[in-house]
Amino acid sequence: SRAGMALSVLVILLLSMLYEAVKMGKALLLRRALLALPHSLSQESLVEPEEGGTSPAQGRWFRYHVGQTLFHVVQVVLGYMVMLAVMSYNAWIFLGAIVGSTLGYFM
């Protein structure tokens, strides 16, 4: 029916927008993780923690890395969902994915 197709296109449009938002969030976390790294990097300081546990910068970097990992998993799942919808070879769903990706990137 027309209402079902319109709802399907809207859902794919929103999923595409969410995919772009997750992609931008992942890039933001990468930037924050790079800023959390110490300015002086040596192999010893990254491999062996200082006495008394880990430094605050290492803890922040690890939290950002875990966040990036979770964002990556969500991005892969959303990407495959949109890809499977587009593989239905329906022109309206394809256009919904394109418009959603465009709007998501624009925002």
Side-chain angles (χ1 to χ4, degrees), residues 15 20 35 48 53 56 63-64 83-86 102:
L15 282 176
E20 290 294 330
L35 290 174
E48 299 174 7
R63 278 185 271 138
Y64 288 135
M83 179 197 70
L84 286 173
V86 168
T102 304

Side-chain angles (χ1 to χ4, degrees), residues 40-77:
S40 171
L41 287 178
S42 67
Q43 212 170 18
E44 294 83 21
S45 69
L46 289 176
V47 175
E48 299 174 7
E50 297 175 1
E51 293 180 16
T54 61
S55 68
Q58 287 175 337
R60 265 184 291 155
W61 178 83
F62 183 73
R63 278 185 271 138
Y64 288 135
H65 186 64
V66 169
Q68 280 182 298
T69 303
L70 294 175
F71 268 89
H72 177 73
V73 169
V74 171
Q75 183 182 5
V76 168
V77 168

